[in-house]
Amino acid sequence: MRFVSLLLVFLSTTAIAQAPVSAELISDPFVESYQPEVSVSGNVIVGVMTMAAAGAMLKDEISVHSVAHAGSDEVCLRVASRDGIYTSKNIYSVPGETTGPVRLPYRSSLTDVVEKYGDDEIAIAATVGNCDSGSAEYFLLSATSESAPSDLVIYLNSFGATDVYYQVDSDIEDCEYISEGRRTTYDFICRLDSIAAGEALPVTIIRERFGREQPSVEITIVGSTE
């Protein structure tokens, strides 16, 4: 019986140790919007995430990694549906020196709206600092329950570009045009390889319009899909 008791204590302690830390929502109340008739203009980068992150919203399982040395204890979380009808923007405070996954509580009051979107119809991005910082450093978003790596994707608004590529080191790869449905907030998806734990990955987005180069966008993705 003593062995069983010790085993239960060990398993309980292990579970506690592995539980993700929860960030504190600074935005009060939770900020989100539902506008069926809206024309959205914004950033080129709309989402940086694993494919599992979209489904994690309604389960309250959105998480970020590697926030300990980001230079700020604040995280800005933006969400946008591809048709532009649903958007949200909230700021979180992350406990200092956190090295493991951090859950960003998502307390939507519009779940009936959000649950109608497919996984490729919601883009999520988390940047360092408050939402006005203009940071080009993006945390990789995933699901706290994600047991195996899923696709790392970048959703972006091409702003009229006909061809879009992403560059990592010297390698340049095509991004895919999204041809279906209403594409108000983003119209291209870039699929990247996994990121090693704690790695900061510089990525350059290259856009061309009928062969004429448009301003490129440089970002850094911080996190892990391994």
Side-chain angles (χ1 to χ4, degrees):
M1 288 295 295
R2 183 180 179 185
F3 172 78
V4 174
S5 298
L6 289 173
L7 179 60
L8 290 175
V9 170
F10 171 77
L11 292 176
S12 177
T13 304
T14 302
I16 294 173
Q18 293 178 344
V21 173
S22 182
E24 177 185 356
L25 178 65
I26 296 178
S27 307
D28 187 19
F30 186 84
V31 181
E32 59 184 344
S33 173
Y34 173 68
Q35 299 183 42
E37 298 298 329
V38 62
S39 177
V40 177
S41 61
N43 299 323
V44 171
I45 307 299
V46 184
V48 178
M49 53 195 278
T50 68
M51 290 299 293
M57 285 175 51
L58 293 178
K59 299 177 182 178
D60 198 14
E61 292 184 347
I62 297 178
S63 66
V64 295
H65 292 257
S66 303
V67 298
H69 305 292
S72 174
D73 62 357
E74 291 184 342
V75 175
C76 173
L77 183 71
R78 293 182 176 89
V79 178
S81 61
R82 193 174 68 200
D83 59 15
I85 293 177
Y86 178 83
T87 58
S88 72
K89 182 171 68 174
N90 291 277
I91 307 173
Y92 296 82
S93 176
V94 178
E97 296 306 313
T98 302
T99 56
V102 177
R103 184 175 65 88
L104 305 181
Y106 202 83
R107 308 295 166 76
S108 174
S109 61
L110 297 172
T111 54
D112 58 330
V113 173
V114 179
E115 65 186 5
K116 294 179 181 179
Y117 291 105
D119 287 349
D120 61 346
E121 295 177 322
I122 288 286
I124 317 173
T127 50
V128 176
N130 63 56
C131 295
D132 298 321
S133 67
S135 175
E137 189 171 13
Y138 288 77
F139 295 119
L140 178 61
L141 288 157
S142 58
T144 55
S145 60
E146 192 171 354
S147 58
S150 61
D151 291 342
L152 165 57
V153 298
I154 300 176
Y155 291 112
L156 56 91
N157 187 340
S158 70
F159 287 99
T162 54
D163 297 283
V164 179
Y165 314 90
Y166 73 87
Q167 180 175 356
V168 176
D169 296 325
S170 59
D171 296 328
I172 299 178
E173 302 289 342
D174 292 336
C175 297
E176 304 167 22
Y177 177 65
I178 301 171
S179 59
E180 298 181 356
R182 182 177 172 183
R183 302 172 298 279
T184 304
T185 55
Y186 60 91
D187 55 359
F188 272 84
I189 178 174
C190 309
R191 302 182 188 274
L192 286 69
D193 293 333
S194 61
I195 300 176
E199 182 179 346
L201 180 69
V203 179
T204 300
I205 301 298
I206 302 168
R207 296 175 297 140
E208 295 180 355
R209 180 172 174 80
F210 300 113
R212 184 175 181 178
E213 190 170 336
Q214 306 294 302
S216 60
V217 177
E218 296 182 357
I219 66 172
T220 300
I221 305 175
V222 180
S224 171
T225 54
E226 296 183 346

